[in-house]
PDB file of all heavy atoms in Angstrom:
ATOM      1  N   ILE B 105      -2.915  51.260 -18.401  1.00 95.00           N
ATOM      2  CA  ILE B 105      -1.847  50.627 -19.191  1.00 95.00           C
ATOM      3  C   ILE B 105      -0.825  51.643 -19.680  1.00 95.00           C
ATOM      4  O   ILE B 105       0.254  51.261 -20.110  1.00 95.00           O
ATOM      5  CB  ILE B 105      -2.381  49.791 -20.383  1.00 95.00           C
ATOM      6  CG1 ILE B 105      -3.246  50.645 -21.299  1.00 95.00           C
ATOM      7  CG2 ILE B 105      -3.140  48.566 -19.890  1.00 95.00           C
ATOM      8  CD1 ILE B 105      -3.649  49.920 -22.592  1.00 95.00           C
ATOM      9  N   GLY B 106      -1.150  52.921 -19.585  1.00 95.00           N
ATOM     10  CA  GLY B 106      -0.160  53.953 -19.866  1.00 95.00           C
ATOM     11  C   GLY B 106       0.992  53.896 -18.866  1.00 95.00           C
ATOM     12  O   GLY B 106       2.137  54.200 -19.204  1.00 95.00           O
ATOM     13  N   PRO B 109       1.773  48.357 -19.497  1.00 97.00           N
ATOM     14  CA  PRO B 109       0.772  47.592 -20.260  1.00 97.00           C
ATOM     15  C   PRO B 109       0.391  46.273 -19.581  1.00 97.00           C
ATOM     16  O   PRO B 109      -0.679  45.725 -19.845  1.00 97.00           O
ATOM     17  CB  PRO B 109       1.456  47.330 -21.609  1.00 97.00           C
ATOM     18  CG  PRO B 109       2.902  47.601 -21.385  1.00 97.00           C
ATOM     19  CD  PRO B 109       2.992  48.596 -20.270  1.00 97.00           C
ATOM     20  N   ALA B 112      -3.067  45.402 -18.059  1.00 97.00           N
ATOM     21  CA  ALA B 112      -4.229  44.968 -18.843  1.00 97.00           C
ATOM     22  C   ALA B 112      -4.731  43.597 -18.425  1.00 97.00           C
ATOM     23  O   ALA B 112      -5.941  43.349 -18.413  1.00 97.00           O
ATOM     24  CB  ALA B 112      -3.876  44.961 -20.326  1.00 97.00           C
ATOM     25  N   PRO B 118      -7.322  40.877 -25.222  1.00 98.00           N
ATOM     26  CA  PRO B 118      -8.040  40.256 -26.331  1.00 98.00           C
ATOM     27  C   PRO B 118      -7.799  38.739 -26.362  1.00 98.00           C
ATOM     28  O   PRO B 118      -6.670  38.283 -26.131  1.00 98.00           O
ATOM     29  CB  PRO B 118      -7.451  40.949 -27.564  1.00 98.00           C
ATOM     30  CG  PRO B 118      -7.028  42.297 -27.050  1.00 98.00           C
ATOM     31  CD  PRO B 118      -6.530  42.048 -25.662  1.00 98.00           C
ATOM     32  N   PHE B 179     -12.428  53.939 -35.227  1.00 98.00           N
ATOM     33  CA  PHE B 179     -13.089  53.073 -34.232  1.00 98.00           C
ATOM     34  C   PHE B 179     -12.792  53.570 -32.830  1.00 98.00           C
ATOM     35  O   PHE B 179     -11.643  53.668 -32.424  1.00 98.00           O
ATOM     36  CB  PHE B 179     -12.567  51.646 -34.424  1.00 98.00           C
ATOM     37  CG  PHE B 179     -13.303  50.574 -33.637  1.00 98.00           C
ATOM     38  CD1 PHE B 179     -14.508  50.800 -33.007  1.00 98.00           C
ATOM     39  CD2 PHE B 179     -12.758  49.282 -33.576  1.00 98.00           C
ATOM     40  CE1 PHE B 179     -15.160  49.800 -32.302  1.00 98.00           C
ATOM     41  CE2 PHE B 179     -13.408  48.271 -32.871  1.00 98.00           C
ATOM     42  CZ  PHE B 179     -14.605  48.537 -32.237  1.00 98.00           C
ATOM     43  N   ILE B 181     -12.232  52.762 -29.497  1.00 94.00           N
ATOM     44  CA  ILE B 181     -11.873  51.550 -28.755  1.00 94.00           C
ATOM     45  C   ILE B 181     -10.622  51.858 -27.944  1.00 94.00           C
ATOM     46  O   ILE B 181      -9.759  52.634 -28.365  1.00 94.00           O
ATOM     47  CB  ILE B 181     -11.652  50.353 -29.708  1.00 94.00           C
ATOM     48  CG1 ILE B 181     -11.453  49.046 -28.952  1.00 94.00           C
ATOM     49  CG2 ILE B 181     -10.515  50.618 -30.679  1.00 94.00           C
ATOM     50  CD1 ILE B 181     -11.504  47.817 -29.839  1.00 94.00           C
ATOM     51  N   THR B 182     -10.511  51.237 -26.761  1.00 81.00           N
ATOM     52  CA  THR B 182      -9.404  51.590 -25.866  1.00 81.00           C
ATOM     53  C   THR B 182      -8.485  50.403 -25.629  1.00 81.00           C
ATOM     54  O   THR B 182      -8.800  49.267 -25.973  1.00 81.00           O
ATOM     55  CB  THR B 182      -9.975  52.057 -24.503  1.00 81.00           C
ATOM     56  OG1 THR B 182     -10.844  51.052 -24.020  1.00 81.00           O
ATOM     57  CG2 THR B 182     -10.708  53.372 -24.635  1.00 81.00           C
ATOM     58  N   GLY B 183      -7.365  50.684 -25.039  1.00 81.00           N
ATOM     59  CA  GLY B 183      -6.476  49.648 -24.515  1.00 81.00           C
ATOM     60  C   GLY B 183      -5.738  48.860 -25.580  1.00 81.00           C
ATOM     61  O   GLY B 183      -5.552  49.314 -26.707  1.00 81.00           O
ATOM     62  N   LEU B 184      -5.300  47.658 -25.210  1.00 93.00           N
ATOM     63  CA  LEU B 184      -4.538  46.818 -26.128  1.00 93.00           C
ATOM     64  C   LEU B 184      -5.350  46.497 -27.384  1.00 93.00           C
ATOM     65  O   LEU B 184      -4.778  46.296 -28.463  1.00 93.00           O
ATOM     66  CB  LEU B 184      -4.120  45.504 -25.440  1.00 93.00           C
ATOM     67  CG  LEU B 184      -3.141  45.610 -24.269  1.00 93.00           C
ATOM     68  CD1 LEU B 184      -2.743  44.227 -23.801  1.00 93.00           C
ATOM     69  CD2 LEU B 184      -1.915  46.408 -24.668  1.00 93.00           C
ATOM     70  N   ALA B 185      -6.687  46.412 -27.248  1.00 96.00           N
ATOM     71  CA  ALA B 185      -7.518  46.119 -28.412  1.00 96.00           C
ATOM     72  C   ALA B 185      -7.329  47.175 -29.495  1.00 96.00           C
ATOM     73  O   ALA B 185      -7.392  46.869 -30.689  1.00 96.00           O
ATOM     74  CB  ALA B 185      -8.988  46.036 -27.992  1.00 96.00           C
ATOM     75  N   GLY B 186      -7.095  48.410 -29.079  1.00 95.00           N
ATOM     76  CA  GLY B 186      -6.831  49.474 -30.055  1.00 95.00           C
ATOM     77  C   GLY B 186      -5.601  49.138 -30.888  1.00 95.00           C
ATOM     78  O   GLY B 186      -5.584  49.351 -32.103  1.00 95.00           O
ATOM     79  N   GLN B 187      -4.567  48.599 -30.244  1.00 96.00           N
ATOM     80  CA  GLN B 187      -3.349  48.231 -30.968  1.00 96.00           C
ATOM     81  C   GLN B 187      -3.607  47.064 -31.930  1.00 96.00           C
ATOM     82  O   GLN B 187      -3.007  47.008 -32.999  1.00 96.00           O
ATOM     83  CB  GLN B 187      -2.246  47.847 -29.979  1.00 96.00           C
ATOM     84  CG  GLN B 187      -1.842  49.031 -29.084  1.00 96.00           C
ATOM     85  CD  GLN B 187      -0.691  48.678 -28.136  1.00 96.00           C
ATOM     86  OE1 GLN B 187       0.236  47.970 -28.507  1.00 96.00           O
ATOM     87  NE2 GLN B 187      -0.769  49.178 -26.921  1.00 96.00           N
ATOM     88  N   VAL B 188      -4.494  46.148 -31.541  1.00 98.00           N
ATOM     89  CA  VAL B 188      -4.843  45.026 -32.422  1.00 98.00           C
ATOM     90  C   VAL B 188      -5.552  45.569 -33.671  1.00 98.00           C
ATOM     91  O   VAL B 188      -5.201  45.222 -34.805  1.00 98.00           O
ATOM     92  CB  VAL B 188      -5.728  43.996 -31.694  1.00 98.00           C
ATOM     93  CG1 VAL B 188      -6.235  42.925 -32.656  1.00 98.00           C
ATOM     94  CG2 VAL B 188      -4.958  43.359 -30.537  1.00 98.00           C
ATOM     95  N   PHE B 189      -6.528  46.444 -33.483  1.00 98.00           N
ATOM     96  CA  PHE B 189      -7.258  47.002 -34.626  1.00 98.00           C
ATOM     97  C   PHE B 189      -6.363  47.909 -35.478  1.00 98.00           C
ATOM     98  O   PHE B 189      -6.522  47.970 -36.698  1.00 98.00           O
ATOM     99  CB  PHE B 189      -8.519  47.730 -34.167  1.00 98.00           C
ATOM    100  CG  PHE B 189      -9.701  46.798 -34.045  1.00 98.00           C
ATOM    101  CD1 PHE B 189     -10.020  46.208 -32.829  1.00 98.00           C
ATOM    102  CD2 PHE B 189     -10.464  46.471 -35.160  1.00 98.00           C
ATOM    103  CE1 PHE B 189     -11.075  45.317 -32.731  1.00 98.00           C
ATOM    104  CE2 PHE B 189     -11.536  45.589 -35.068  1.00 98.00           C
ATOM    105  CZ  PHE B 189     -11.838  45.012 -33.852  1.00 98.00           C
ATOM    106  N   GLN B 190      -5.410  48.572 -34.848  1.00 97.00           N
ATOM    107  CA  GLN B 190      -4.473  49.401 -35.603  1.00 97.00           C
ATOM    108  C   GLN B 190      -3.660  48.525 -36.557  1.00 97.00           C
ATOM    109  O   GLN B 190      -3.454  48.858 -37.719  1.00 97.00           O
ATOM    110  CB  GLN B 190      -3.545  50.099 -34.616  1.00 97.00           C
ATOM    111  CG  GLN B 190      -2.722  51.214 -35.242  1.00 97.00           C
ATOM    112  CD  GLN B 190      -2.207  52.171 -34.161  1.00 97.00           C
ATOM    113  OE1 GLN B 190      -1.940  51.749 -33.042  1.00 97.00           O
ATOM    114  NE2 GLN B 190      -2.086  53.442 -34.502  1.00 97.00           N
ATOM    115  N   ARG B 191      -3.248  47.363 -36.059  1.00 97.00           N
ATOM    116  CA  ARG B 191      -2.502  46.419 -36.878  1.00 97.00           C
ATOM    117  C   ARG B 191      -3.334  45.910 -38.048  1.00 97.00           C
ATOM    118  O   ARG B 191      -2.790  45.502 -39.075  1.00 97.00           O
ATOM    119  CB  ARG B 191      -2.059  45.236 -36.006  1.00 97.00           C
ATOM    120  CG  ARG B 191      -0.630  44.829 -36.190  1.00 97.00           C
ATOM    121  CD  ARG B 191      -0.223  43.915 -35.049  1.00 97.00           C
ATOM    122  NE  ARG B 191       0.464  44.680 -34.031  1.00 97.00           N
ATOM    123  CZ  ARG B 191       1.795  44.685 -33.887  1.00 97.00           C
ATOM    124  NH1 ARG B 191       2.550  43.943 -34.671  1.00 97.00           N
ATOM    125  NH2 ARG B 191       2.371  45.421 -32.964  1.00 97.00           N
ATOM    126  N   LEU B 192      -4.651  45.912 -37.872  1.00 98.00           N
ATOM    127  CA  LEU B 192      -5.549  45.478 -38.955  1.00 98.00           C
ATOM    128  C   LEU B 192      -5.947  46.650 -39.847  1.00 98.00           C
ATOM    129  O   LEU B 192      -6.759  46.496 -40.756  1.00 98.00           O
ATOM    130  CB  LEU B 192      -6.802  44.820 -38.361  1.00 98.00           C
ATOM    131  CG  LEU B 192      -6.571  43.530 -37.543  1.00 98.00           C
ATOM    132  CD1 LEU B 192      -7.877  43.022 -36.946  1.00 98.00           C
ATOM    133  CD2 LEU B 192      -5.918  42.446 -38.389  1.00 98.00           C
ATOM    134  N   GLY B 193      -5.383  47.826 -39.588  1.00 98.00           N
ATOM    135  CA  GLY B 193      -5.614  48.962 -40.493  1.00 98.00           C
ATOM    136  C   GLY B 193      -6.606  50.004 -40.012  1.00 98.00           C
ATOM    137  O   GLY B 193      -6.845  50.999 -40.685  1.00 98.00           O
ATOM    138  N   ALA B 194      -7.176  49.805 -38.838  1.00 98.00           N
ATOM    139  CA  ALA B 194      -8.127  50.783 -38.315  1.00 98.00           C
ATOM    140  C   ALA B 194      -7.388  51.931 -37.622  1.00 98.00           C
ATOM    141  O   ALA B 194      -6.188  51.839 -37.358  1.00 98.00           O
ATOM    142  CB  ALA B 194      -9.075  50.118 -37.319  1.00 98.00           C
ATOM    143  N   THR B 195      -8.115  53.019 -37.373  1.00 97.00           N
ATOM    144  CA  THR B 195      -7.580  54.126 -36.591  1.00 97.00           C
ATOM    145  C   THR B 195      -8.338  54.175 -35.281  1.00 97.00           C
ATOM    146  O   THR B 195      -9.465  54.682 -35.218  1.00 97.00           O
ATOM    147  CB  THR B 195      -7.766  55.459 -37.351  1.00 97.00           C
ATOM    148  OG1 THR B 195      -7.200  55.329 -38.642  1.00 97.00           O
ATOM    149  CG2 THR B 195      -7.118  56.602 -36.595  1.00 97.00           C
ATOM    150  N   PRO B 196      -7.724  53.612 -34.220  1.00 96.00           N
ATOM    151  CA  PRO B 196      -8.426  53.623 -32.934  1.00 96.00           C
ATOM    152  C   PRO B 196      -8.391  55.015 -32.309  1.00 96.00           C
ATOM    153  O   PRO B 196      -7.433  55.776 -32.515  1.00 96.00           O
ATOM    154  CB  PRO B 196      -7.622  52.639 -32.092  1.00 96.00           C
ATOM    155  CG  PRO B 196      -6.255  52.639 -32.694  1.00 96.00           C
ATOM    156  CD  PRO B 196      -6.426  52.933 -34.162  1.00 96.00           C
ATOM    157  N   SER B 197      -9.438  55.360 -31.583  1.00 93.00           N
ATOM    158  CA  SER B 197      -9.452  56.645 -30.869  1.00 93.00           C
ATOM    159  C   SER B 197     -10.249  56.477 -29.589  1.00 93.00           C
ATOM    160  O   SER B 197     -11.049  55.564 -29.454  1.00 93.00           O
ATOM    161  CB  SER B 197     -10.076  57.728 -31.736  1.00 93.00           C
ATOM    162  OG  SER B 197     -11.458  57.481 -31.879  1.00 93.00           O
ATOM    163  N   TRP B 242     -12.184  41.167 -27.700  1.00 98.00           N
ATOM    164  CA  TRP B 242     -11.115  41.790 -26.918  1.00 98.00           C
ATOM    165  C   TRP B 242     -11.498  41.908 -25.434  1.00 98.00           C
ATOM    166  O   TRP B 242     -10.647  42.242 -24.620  1.00 98.00           O
ATOM    167  CB  TRP B 242     -10.744  43.176 -27.479  1.00 98.00           C
ATOM    168  CG  TRP B 242     -11.928  44.063 -27.761  1.00 98.00           C
ATOM    169  CD1 TRP B 242     -12.423  45.038 -26.934  1.00 98.00           C
ATOM    170  CD2 TRP B 242     -12.744  44.073 -28.939  1.00 98.00           C
ATOM    171  NE1 TRP B 242     -13.513  45.634 -27.505  1.00 98.00           N
ATOM    172  CE2 TRP B 242     -13.726  45.070 -28.738  1.00 98.00           C
ATOM    173  CE3 TRP B 242     -12.751  43.342 -30.124  1.00 98.00           C
ATOM    174  CZ2 TRP B 242     -14.710  45.343 -29.706  1.00 98.00           C
ATOM    175  CZ3 TRP B 242     -13.722  43.628 -31.081  1.00 98.00           C
ATOM    176  CH2 TRP B 242     -14.680  44.606 -30.869  1.00 98.00           C
ATOM    177  N   ALA B 312      -7.509  38.802 -36.323  1.00 98.00           N
ATOM    178  CA  ALA B 312      -7.390  39.501 -35.039  1.00 98.00           C
ATOM    179  C   ALA B 312      -6.590  38.649 -34.039  1.00 98.00           C
ATOM    180  O   ALA B 312      -5.789  39.172 -33.265  1.00 98.00           O
ATOM    181  CB  ALA B 312      -8.773  39.828 -34.485  1.00 98.00           C
ATOM    182  N   ALA B 315      -2.971  39.080 -35.011  1.00 98.00           N
ATOM    183  CA  ALA B 315      -2.502  40.441 -34.689  1.00 98.00           C
ATOM    184  C   ALA B 315      -2.333  40.586 -33.176  1.00 98.00           C
ATOM    185  O   ALA B 315      -1.373  41.205 -32.698  1.00 98.00           O
ATOM    186  CB  ALA B 315      -3.504  41.476 -35.215  1.00 98.00           C
ATOM    187  N   ASN B 316      -3.250  39.996 -32.418  1.00 98.00           N
ATOM    188  CA  ASN B 316      -3.171  40.087 -30.959  1.00 98.00           C
ATOM    189  C   ASN B 316      -1.916  39.382 -30.436  1.00 98.00           C
ATOM    190  O   ASN B 316      -1.217  39.914 -29.565  1.00 98.00           O
ATOM    191  CB  ASN B 316      -4.422  39.456 -30.344  1.00 98.00           C
ATOM    192  CG  ASN B 316      -4.407  39.514 -28.822  1.00 98.00           C
ATOM    193  OD1 ASN B 316      -4.233  40.576 -28.247  1.00 98.00           O
ATOM    194  ND2 ASN B 316      -4.562  38.372 -28.186  1.00 98.00           N
ATOM    195  N   GLU B 318       0.827  39.019 -31.983  1.00 98.00           N
ATOM    196  CA  GLU B 318       1.972  39.891 -32.317  1.00 98.00           C
ATOM    197  C   GLU B 318       2.107  41.012 -31.289  1.00 98.00           C
ATOM    198  O   GLU B 318       3.199  41.292 -30.803  1.00 98.00           O
ATOM    199  CB  GLU B 318       1.792  40.493 -33.710  1.00 98.00           C
ATOM    200  CG  GLU B 318       1.981  39.490 -34.848  1.00 98.00           C
ATOM    201  CD  GLU B 318       1.553  40.079 -36.205  1.00 98.00           C
ATOM    202  OE1 GLU B 318       1.461  41.332 -36.315  1.00 98.00           O
ATOM    203  OE2 GLU B 318       1.273  39.287 -37.122  1.00 98.00           O
ATOM    204  N   VAL B 319       0.976  41.638 -30.952  1.00 98.00           N
ATOM    205  CA  VAL B 319       1.017  42.749 -29.995  1.00 98.00           C
ATOM    206  C   VAL B 319       1.541  42.248 -28.645  1.00 98.00           C
ATOM    207  O   VAL B 319       2.438  42.848 -28.047  1.00 98.00           O
ATOM    208  CB  VAL B 319      -0.386  43.382 -29.831  1.00 98.00           C
ATOM    209  CG1 VAL B 319      -0.419  44.336 -28.638  1.00 98.00           C
ATOM    210  CG2 VAL B 319      -0.806  44.099 -31.104  1.00 98.00           C
ATOM    211  N   LEU B 320       0.987  41.115 -28.170  1.00 98.00           N
ATOM    212  CA  LEU B 320       1.391  40.599 -26.854  1.00 98.00           C
ATOM    213  C   LEU B 320       2.861  40.187 -26.849  1.00 98.00           C
ATOM    214  O   LEU B 320       3.601  40.497 -25.899  1.00 98.00           O
ATOM    215  CB  LEU B 320       0.504  39.410 -26.458  1.00 98.00           C
ATOM    216  CG  LEU B 320      -0.993  39.689 -26.263  1.00 98.00           C
ATOM    217  CD1 LEU B 320      -1.729  38.408 -25.870  1.00 98.00           C
ATOM    218  CD2 LEU B 320      -1.251  40.773 -25.220  1.00 98.00           C
ATOM    219  N   GLU B 322       5.276  41.275 -28.765  1.00 98.00           N
ATOM    220  CA  GLU B 322       6.140  42.469 -28.837  1.00 98.00           C
ATOM    221  C   GLU B 322       6.294  43.126 -27.476  1.00 98.00           C
ATOM    222  O   GLU B 322       7.380  43.494 -27.064  1.00 98.00           O
ATOM    223  CB  GLU B 322       5.544  43.477 -29.821  1.00 98.00           C
ATOM    224  CG  GLU B 322       6.102  43.325 -31.215  1.00 98.00           C
ATOM    225  CD  GLU B 322       5.622  44.448 -32.133  1.00 98.00           C
ATOM    226  OE1 GLU B 322       5.426  45.588 -31.655  1.00 98.00           O
ATOM    227  OE2 GLU B 322       5.411  44.156 -33.316  1.00 98.00           O
ATOM    228  N   LEU B 323       5.139  43.256 -26.779  1.00 98.00           N
ATOM    229  CA  LEU B 323       5.185  43.871 -25.448  1.00 98.00           C
ATOM    230  C   LEU B 323       6.011  43.023 -24.493  1.00 98.00           C
ATOM    231  O   LEU B 323       6.783  43.551 -23.677  1.00 98.00           O
ATOM    232  CB  LEU B 323       3.773  44.090 -24.916  1.00 98.00           C
ATOM    233  CG  LEU B 323       2.973  45.195 -25.620  1.00 98.00           C
ATOM    234  CD1 LEU B 323       1.485  45.106 -25.278  1.00 98.00           C
ATOM    235  CD2 LEU B 323       3.526  46.579 -25.234  1.00 98.00           C
ATOM    236  N   LYS B 326       9.682  43.584 -24.660  1.00 97.00           N
ATOM    237  CA  LYS B 326      10.196  44.862 -24.148  1.00 97.00           C
ATOM    238  C   LYS B 326      10.049  45.004 -22.645  1.00 97.00           C
ATOM    239  O   LYS B 326      10.510  45.987 -22.057  1.00 97.00           O
ATOM    240  CB  LYS B 326       9.421  46.012 -24.820  1.00 97.00           C
ATOM    241  CG  LYS B 326       9.747  46.186 -26.290  1.00 97.00           C
ATOM    242  CD  LYS B 326       9.077  47.419 -26.899  1.00 97.00           C
ATOM    243  CE  LYS B 326       7.611  47.209 -27.149  1.00 97.00           C
ATOM    244  NZ  LYS B 326       6.986  48.209 -28.041  1.00 97.00           N
ATOM    245  N   PHE B 330       5.607  42.042 -18.060  1.00 98.00           N
ATOM    246  CA  PHE B 330       4.571  41.670 -19.005  1.00 98.00           C
ATOM    247  C   PHE B 330       4.779  40.231 -19.450  1.00 98.00           C
ATOM    248  O   PHE B 330       3.840  39.435 -19.513  1.00 98.00           O
ATOM    249  CB  PHE B 330       4.621  42.624 -20.203  1.00 98.00           C
ATOM    250  CG  PHE B 330       3.427  42.529 -21.120  1.00 98.00           C
ATOM    251  CD1 PHE B 330       2.382  43.438 -21.017  1.00 98.00           C
ATOM    252  CD2 PHE B 330       3.348  41.536 -22.082  1.00 98.00           C
ATOM    253  CE1 PHE B 330       1.280  43.353 -21.858  1.00 98.00           C
ATOM    254  CE2 PHE B 330       2.255  41.441 -22.922  1.00 98.00           C
ATOM    255  CZ  PHE B 330       1.232  42.349 -22.821  1.00 98.00           C
TER     256      PHE B 330
END
Side-chain angles (χ1 to χ4, degrees):
Chain B
I105 57 172
F179 189 12
I181 187 169
T182 53
L184 294 185
Q187 297 183 38
V188 173
F189 273 94
Q190 193 160 32
R191 225 166 263 258
L192 297 177
T195 306
S197 69
W242 49 96
N316 180 54
E318 288 170 19
V319 168
L320 296 180
E322 267 187 33
L323 289 166
K326 289 186 285 195
F330 192 99

